[in-house]
Amino acid sequence: MAETISPAVPVPSHQRTEEAATGSLISYVLPVYNEQDGIRRFHHELIAATDTRPDFDYEFVYVNDGSADDSLAVLRKLAEADPRVRVLDFARNFGHQIAITAGLDHAEGDAVIVMDTDLQDPPKVSIEMIDAWARGAEIVSARRRTRRDTRFKRLTAHSYYRLLHNLAEVDIPVDTGDFRLLDRRAAEELRGFRERSRFIRGMVASMGFQQTEVLFDRDERAAGETKYPLRKMVRLAADGVTGFSTAPLKLITRIGFLSLALAVLGILYAVAMRVFLPQVTVSGWTMIMVVMLFLGGVQMLSLGVIGSYVGRIYDEVRQRPLYIVRKVIRHDQS
């Protein structure tokens, strides 16, 4: 598998040199939810990958997102065996995007790599991301060149990414998930995004910075089942659209105007029937049609306007804690 860095976005050479990056701390943020069968293999492959670049220091921040299996016990043993491992144990399941957020909040590295632990994101690709960062990139995204999923999943993902790209008010790259590297400066800025309905890949795209891509072939899951069934995928997709696009609100407003225009036509039709063909009209029918069509059009238009304000309020008033950490497990405290 030959991954290459996309040439679409040039990496500035003046920001950082590879020699200056040597010795930096690289943090891995690793959300875990019911992955007891694959965590050990993932950690082994991650260690094998990072051992190829001993010129950097590493920390591995695992976030146990309320797993119902023995994932926490496995993570505890990893922490006992490896002083670089730190485990954040959530009080309950808060969701994948919140788990990433918690890991970012606790990561201490000069660069932070976010990746899943199911081995669909190959650990060796993260080394290429580190290389791109060492050459000056501030954000390095892993873009899927191919993926081994069901035909339905590939089709829906392909369609959704392109729909979101066209609707969003920021340039969200297609075929990229949450597998990416963030420079310390970018990670600090991302920590300031505290909305509850989170779509992190959109947040990263909205920040700007110097971004580049690494192409890779996405593998199958090493063990277990997907933690993103259709219901969760639909919810994440809705968060992406509503969080970074006002197109749905604008569509409602357009429907309102269309309904109002149709109502006016209906009113004219009803009045004309009453004036020119009174013999075929039912008593009271004209008034009922006028009232229903007019009010229907006005209501749709009003919903569009109100929805615009509600959307703005919704973005501002979410103040509840994003997550609760029951315990932080370290090598000397596990």
Side-chain angles (χ1 to χ4, degrees):
M1 179 170 61
E3 298 83 6
T4 58
I5 298 175
S6 171
V9 181
V11 178
S13 59
H14 67 276
Q15 294 183 0
R16 188 187 308 108
T17 64
E18 295 189 41
E19 291 77 10
T22 299
S24 299
L25 176 65
I26 309 296
S27 298
Y28 280 81
V29 170
L30 309 164
V32 175
Y33 178 64
N34 292 345
E35 296 285 359
Q36 63 176 14
D37 297 327
I39 297 175
R40 291 186 181 88
R41 177 180 169 185
F42 167 81
H43 190 71
H44 175 77
E45 294 198 18
L46 181 59
I47 295 302
T50 54
D51 282 349
T52 64
R53 292 301 303 271
D55 47 326
F56 293 99
D57 296 321
Y58 301 94
E59 69 167 355
F60 308 111
V61 182
Y62 286 93
V63 183
N64 179 43
D65 186 21
S67 297
D69 61 3
D70 289 331
S71 295
L72 180 59
V74 176
L75 293 173
R76 192 184 298 272
K77 291 185 180 299
L78 292 180
E80 292 174 355
D82 191 339
R84 299 173 296 178
V85 172
R86 190 157 25 119
V87 181
L88 308 180
D89 182 28
F90 275 179
R92 65 170 176 83
N93 175 250
F94 285 90
H96 180 260
Q97 300 291 288
I98 300 296
I100 292 175
T101 301
L104 288 168
D105 289 344
H106 288 78
E108 301 174 354
D110 299 293
V112 181
I113 296 175
V114 178
M115 63 186 302
D116 292 334
T117 58
D118 54 12
L119 286 176
Q120 288 188 290
D121 300 337
K124 62 182 179 180
V125 176
S126 68
I127 303 303
E128 297 207 16
M129 300 167 79
I130 293 173
D131 291 338
W133 170 75
R135 291 194 294 269
E138 295 170 299
I139 297 175
V140 186
S141 299
R143 181 172 179 175
R144 299 158 186 161
R145 181 167 46 203
T146 62
R147 56 188 303 164
R148 298 182 183 180
D149 290 308
T150 64
R151 191 171 184 177
F152 175 78
K153 180 68 175 291
R154 293 197 303 269
L155 177 62
T156 54
H158 178 86
S159 302
Y160 169 70
Y161 279 119
R162 281 144 187 84
L163 176 64
L164 180 62
H165 183 77
N166 291 328
L167 292 180
E169 295 165 0
V170 297
D171 185 13
I172 301 177
V174 298
D175 300 326
T176 59
D178 295 312
F179 184 19
R180 60 174 41 85
L181 178 147
L182 302 168
D183 180 69
R184 182 202 292 268
R185 180 77 176 86
E188 288 174 351
E189 290 298 327
L190 185 57
R191 291 184 188 114
F193 288 65
R194 307 309 293 180
E195 58 259 43
R196 187 169 186 83
S197 298
R198 305 179 71 77
F199 189 68
I200 291 177
R201 64 199 72 171
M203 296 178 189
V204 172
S206 71
M207 293 193 303
F209 289 100
Q210 186 61 51
Q211 304 195 22
T212 188
E213 296 176 343
V214 169
L215 301 179
F216 78 105
D217 299 304
R218 198 169 198 229
D219 295 330
E220 296 179 310
R221 287 183 60 88
E225 300 177 350
T226 178
K227 303 309 182 294
Y228 264 107
L230 182 60
R231 174 178 56 85
K232 288 188 177 181
M233 288 297 298
V234 170
R235 183 184 303 171
L236 181 65
D239 286 340
V241 173
T242 57
F244 294 92
S245 174
T246 58
L249 295 176
K250 294 175 181 177
L251 177 62
I252 292 176
T253 302
R254 293 189 182 101
I255 293 175
F257 279 115
L258 177 61
S259 299
L260 189 59
L262 293 175
V264 171
L265 292 177
I267 291 170
L268 294 176
Y269 171 77
V271 171
M273 290 289 291
R274 182 63 177 175
V275 172
F276 298 106
L277 296 172
Q279 68 276 12
V280 300
T281 60
V282 179
S283 178
W285 175 82
T286 301
M287 181 59 67
I288 293 174
M289 291 300 297
V290 168
V291 172
M292 288 183 59
L293 291 171
F294 179 76
L295 289 181
V298 171
Q299 286 174 348
M300 289 300 296
L301 180 59
S302 300
L303 283 175
V305 175
I306 293 172
S308 298
Y309 285 96
V310 171
R312 291 176 181 272
I313 296 170
Y314 178 68
D315 285 338
E316 296 296 332
V317 301
R318 292 173 291 194
Q319 297 296 323
R320 289 177 293 177
L322 293 180
Y323 58 86
I324 300 174
V325 177
R326 178 190 289 116
K327 185 178 182 181
V328 178
I329 301 172
R330 295 181 172 86
H331 173 72
D332 54 351
Q333 300 175 350
S334 56

